[in-house]
Amino acid sequence: MPELPEVETVRRGLEPVLSGARLSRVRANRPDLRFPLPDGFVQRLTGARILRLDRRAKYLLAPLDRGDTLVMHLGMTGRFEIAAPSSDRATRPGDFAREVKPDDKHAHVVFETEEGATVTYYDPRRFGFMDLIPTDRVDHHPWFATMGPEPLSDAFGARTLVAAFNGRKQGPKTLLLDQKTVAGLGNIYVCEALHRAHISPFKPSGLIAGKRLGPLTTAIKDVLAEAVEVGGSSLKDFAAADGALGYFQHRFRVYDREGQPCPTPGCKGTIAREVQAGRSTFFCPVCQV
DNA sequence: AGAGCTACCTGAAGGC
DNA sequence: TGCCTTCAGGTAGCTC
């Protein structure tokens, strides 16, 4: 499910209840998610204080006062729900409320804090994963060591793409999905960014003129920032930790819009869908060249 | 090294 | 109603 904007939305929802909180009780209702939970998962977490809640790409990072960092990835269908003693949820406008079906079957990990909040991790498809990594080793862990820059940071710029695309035959769709190029993009936002930049997902990346990579960089930053601002995209499983739905799906220009007119002003094209590298690519064959 | 494919696992949705 | 097929936002690991 979640790409960078959705994970950032989850982070912002969880931060008030987890940052600075001490874990009084942790339950793992099964020994594995996508991967086995690490040895002593429950014991190493119980009693620990969460110093902060950070995000790197699509990962949530919770450094603990005991030297480990709890690393969490939501996979495709991972979701957190907060049951807090305070009235945070009740203060949400009614039209944001999400009908949550009872889903004990997929409640895999439950965190309870000394402050009285319960945070439950649900993941029907179980593509998500959690691990405990010594905090001073996180940057060297295989998940992070080769990861590209954060797309919304100054570390990501046109020169990032110039270097990544140089001489490559694969289309930009494929290279932008590769977390080593830039970290945090997924299928939806790559499709959207390429459409905004009017670049074909299939054009050999090495043949894309360098002067077009500045606008592509801008398109990536813009689409992500706009999505973060409205709480991500709610498709099927995604809702913020407080149950609020994201709204960016209403702003999709190409994703899941096969057969609809291209929204580019003056373009008479029709949005098409093709499978590329095993994933659905949505694009306008007319204005994306 | 780079490119392309599959696997992981489950649920939802559509066709018949 | 029910069975079957197809598809899904991510990542890792295999082969050529």
Side-chain angles (χ1 to χ4, degrees), chain A residues 78-250:
Chain A
R79 172 168 62 85
F80 284 100
E81 279 184 19
I82 303 169
S86 65
S87 55
D88 290 353
R89 298 175 78 187
T91 59
R92 278 279 171 182
D95 62 344
F96 277 70
R98 181 172 194 258
E99 285 298 322
V100 178
K101 288 183 279 188
D103 184 22
D104 294 340
K105 190 167 128 188
H106 301 303
H108 302 313
V109 182
V110 182
F111 304 98
E112 294 176 25
T113 71
E114 266 182 12
E115 293 74 13
T118 300
V119 174
T120 305
Y121 178 70
Y122 298 88
D123 191 353
R125 208 173 159 187
R126 236 182 324 119
F127 276 22
F129 44 93
M130 296 188 191
D131 203 353
L132 286 165
I133 301 173
T135 297
D136 58 5
R137 298 295 304 162
V138 170
D139 289 344
H140 305 283
H141 190 281
W143 292 335
F144 303 103
T146 60
M147 191 176 264
E150 280 290 314
L152 290 175
S153 77
D154 291 340
F156 174 64
R159 66 178 59 182
T160 312
L161 297 183
V162 169
F165 286 9
N166 182 41
R168 300 293 296 272
K169 277 196 258 182
Q170 283 187 307
K173 167 76 187 301
T174 309
L175 296 185
L176 291 173
L177 275 179
D178 185 340
Q179 304 297 295
K180 292 193 279 295
T181 305
V182 53
L185 293 173
N187 204 33
I188 293 177
Y189 295 105
V190 170
C191 289
E192 293 296 314
L194 287 170
H195 179 263
R196 287 183 181 213
H198 307 299
I199 292 173
S200 165
F202 306 99
K203 189 179 176 82
S205 296
L207 300 182
I208 300 170
K211 66 179 181 193
R212 305 183 70 189
L213 299 183
L216 177 57
T217 305
T218 304
I220 290 168
K221 289 176 183 278
D222 286 352
V223 73
L224 292 177
E226 289 172 29
V228 167
E229 200 171 316
V230 299
S233 305
S234 290
L235 294 177
K236 297 183 180 170
D237 308 288
F238 180 72
D242 61 3
L245 297 176
Y247 279 90
F248 195 76
Q249 66 276 16
H250 302 301

Side-chain angles (χ1 to χ4, degrees), chain A residues 13 20 27 29 36 39 48 58 122 135 145 208 224 259 261 275:
Chain A
R27 273 179 291 149
N29 293 330
D39 289 340
K58 303 171 196 172
Y122 298 88
T135 297
I208 300 170
L224 292 177
V275 174

Side-chain angles (χ1 to χ4, degrees), chain A residues 237-285:
Chain A
D237 308 288
F238 180 72
D242 61 3
L245 297 176
Y247 279 90
F248 195 76
Q249 66 276 16
H250 302 301
R251 298 203 204 168
F252 290 164
R253 297 184 191 177
V254 289
Y255 186 79
D256 206 19
R257 295 176 64 85
E258 182 181 15
Q260 298 184 38
C262 175
T264 299
C267 181
K268 301 272 203 301
T270 300
I271 303 306
R273 170 183 176 275
E274 279 188 38
V275 174
Q276 181 182 20
R279 320 288 302 276
S280 284
T281 292
F282 295 91
F283 66 106
C284 173

